Amino acid sequence: MIINELKIGNLIARIPLIQGGMGVGVSLSGLSGAVAAAGGIGVISTAQIGYRDPDFDKNPIECNLKAIGEEIKKARAIAKGGIIGVNIMVATKRYEEYVKAAVKAGVDLVISGAGLPMTLPAVSGDAKIAPIVSSKKSLSVIAKYWKKKYDRKPDLVVIEGPTAGGHLGFSTEEIEAYTVDKTKDYDAEIKEIIALADEMEVPVAVAGGVYERADMEHYLAMGAKAVQVATRFVTTKECDASDAYKQAYIDAKKEDIVIVKSPVGMPGRAIHNAFLDKVKAGERFMRGCRQCVSTCDPKTTPYCITEALINAVKGNLDEGLVFCGSNAFRADKIETVADIMEEFS
């Protein structure tokens, strides 16, 4: 199959691949800049992006807002004129301020999920905007509201399926139906979403379980214009996570990939480890609140997801939550971004 470039308005990516945003600290300027330089779209996750700042525990939101501009600037220096985007969760506390910070820093594309980004057009400035959806209904609600309120349509739609990594926009029962029992076929939902997006003349990228070129060809044949890939990029030299974090992917077996209940109220996909055993046994790891998402209740949650994700990305895996996609067990070596992009080109 001949692979065509991805056009999002005046943005043109030579390779129709968007690197998925991975927080906390997994996809920052190093990874995103390298993907953009290689012809794709590099994406920085703003989820607790300022975690390395000495003042983070006292002023997490302020550190995050500062780091957004810094990371975009560093990514630009690596990207060599390539396209840089950000992934900003709607559930983020002071969500609109995060979007404004990214726009002020000159980001090209804002991708937004973990909720419906109803107010995104109001704060996106000149940046292109892309909602993440998992159903035709979600896209319909967003599109109708944006048209009526802002006379605006999405510049891109990202469909995130049930085999994706991290927090998932599905119930546990839905995940099992799609991925374990196979009583439901998610491709059918993808086709419906693409059909609606085609009516609006908006390109679609499919995310979740895309690991190799054959996966991309499958979705392009269905009418998608691009794919979003995250897990595959974790085990690259350029990924911003620690070596120990990357090694957890390489060491993982298929049976180690599990669905967990996140403190923020959504199911998530992660690598089973000692930390999850401790949580299951009833240990509580809640030491202060880092003001991450509005759906978390610090009084009742068993652990601070920010702290658990920071521990993991730094390499303290026994005290950390290692989010991953369904194909994480397939990683068997450290690659380079350039090698992966060449495979998908």
Side-chain angles (χ1 to χ4, degrees):
M1 174 184 281
I2 297 174
I3 304 301
N4 296 316
E5 62 192 13
L6 169 63
K7 296 181 180 180
I8 308 172
N10 61 344
L11 300 177
I12 301 176
R14 180 174 58 84
I15 302 171
L17 184 152
I18 302 165
Q19 162 255 310
M22 295 173 282
V24 171
V26 179
S27 65
L28 299 176
S29 55
L31 177 56
S32 61
V35 172
I41 297 179
V43 176
I44 297 167
S45 169
T46 67
Q48 304 298 56
I49 189 173
Y51 78 95
R52 293 175 294 193
D53 192 299
D55 200 34
F56 178 75
D57 282 345
K58 292 182 179 179
N59 299 296
I61 293 178
E62 288 73 14
C63 290
N64 289 336
L65 294 173
K66 175 185 174 186
I68 288 171
E70 294 172 346
E71 288 296 322
I72 290 172
K73 182 178 180 180
K74 288 191 288 186
R76 286 265 183 241
I78 300 168
K80 301 176 183 176
I83 302 170
I84 297 296
V86 289
N87 182 297
I88 306 177
M89 296 188 297
V90 178
T92 302
K93 290 186 177 179
R94 289 163 58 178
Y95 163 74
E96 293 182 3
E97 291 183 50
Y98 281 64
V99 176
K100 289 177 181 178
V103 171
K104 183 179 179 181
V107 78
D108 297 310
L109 172 68
V110 178
I111 299 172
S112 202
L116 301 183
M118 307 306 277
T119 62
L120 180 55
V123 289
S124 58
D126 293 330
K128 299 293 187 288
I129 52 177
I132 298 174
V133 302
S134 57
S135 68
K136 178 183 177 182
K137 181 179 179 181
S138 296
L139 176 57
S140 179
V141 169
I142 293 167
K144 288 177 180 177
Y145 185 83
W146 284 9
K147 177 64 178 175
K148 181 178 180 181
K149 180 81 172 178
Y150 307 107
D151 193 25
R152 182 83 187 268
K153 67 179 182 180
D155 297 294
L156 171 76
V157 171
V158 178
I159 303 173
E160 191 165 288
T163 56
H167 289 124
L168 302 167
F170 301 86
S171 68
T172 302
E173 292 75 22
E174 287 175 323
I175 295 168
E176 289 185 357
Y178 282 122
T179 65
V180 180
D181 304 330
K182 304 293 179 69
T183 55
K184 299 178 74 174
D185 177 17
Y186 195 65
D187 276 4
E189 187 71 43
I190 290 173
K191 290 175 183 176
E192 290 192 4
I193 299 171
I194 290 175
L196 177 57
D198 284 347
E199 290 177 16
M200 297 186 289
E201 299 183 329
V202 174
V204 167
V206 178
V210 181
Y211 197 82
E212 59 187 7
R213 183 187 166 108
D215 300 322
M216 177 171 71
E217 291 180 350
H218 171 73
Y219 292 119
L220 295 185
M222 288 172 58
K225 296 296 187 286
V227 291
Q228 181 174 283
V229 181
T231 292
R232 180 76 182 272
F233 286 110
V234 170
T235 49
T236 59
K237 292 180 180 178
E238 296 88 349
C239 178
D240 298 279
S242 66
D243 289 343
Y245 190 97
K246 300 173 189 181
Q247 192 62 43
Y249 276 55
I250 293 173
D251 293 341
K253 299 179 177 62
K254 188 173 184 177
E255 58 267 27
D256 295 327
I257 312 302
V258 297
I259 300 297
V260 300
K261 183 179 179 181
S262 165
V264 305
M266 292 181 279
R269 183 171 278 111
I271 296 175
H272 179 263
N273 63 0
F275 174 73
L276 290 177
D277 285 337
K278 294 174 186 176
V279 172
K280 187 176 181 180
E283 289 191 46
R284 192 164 188 264
F285 302 86
M286 194 63 207
R287 296 178 282 265
C289 177
R290 278 77 174 183
Q291 301 295 311
C292 60
V293 296
S294 56
T295 53
C296 178
D297 183 356
K299 296 177 182 178
T300 59
T301 185
Y303 61 92
C304 171
I305 193 165
T306 288
E307 183 178 1
L309 292 172
I310 289 174
N311 285 341
V313 79
K314 287 182 175 180
N316 179 13
L317 302 184
D318 286 346
E319 300 292 332
L321 177 64
V322 184
F323 270 156
C324 69
S326 59
N327 284 310
F329 69 95
R330 295 175 62 180
D332 59 6
K333 63 179 185 285
I334 298 296
E335 303 179 272
T336 66
V337 165
D339 287 341
I340 295 173
M341 296 301 290
E342 178 65 26
E343 176 188 329
F344 279 86
S345 65

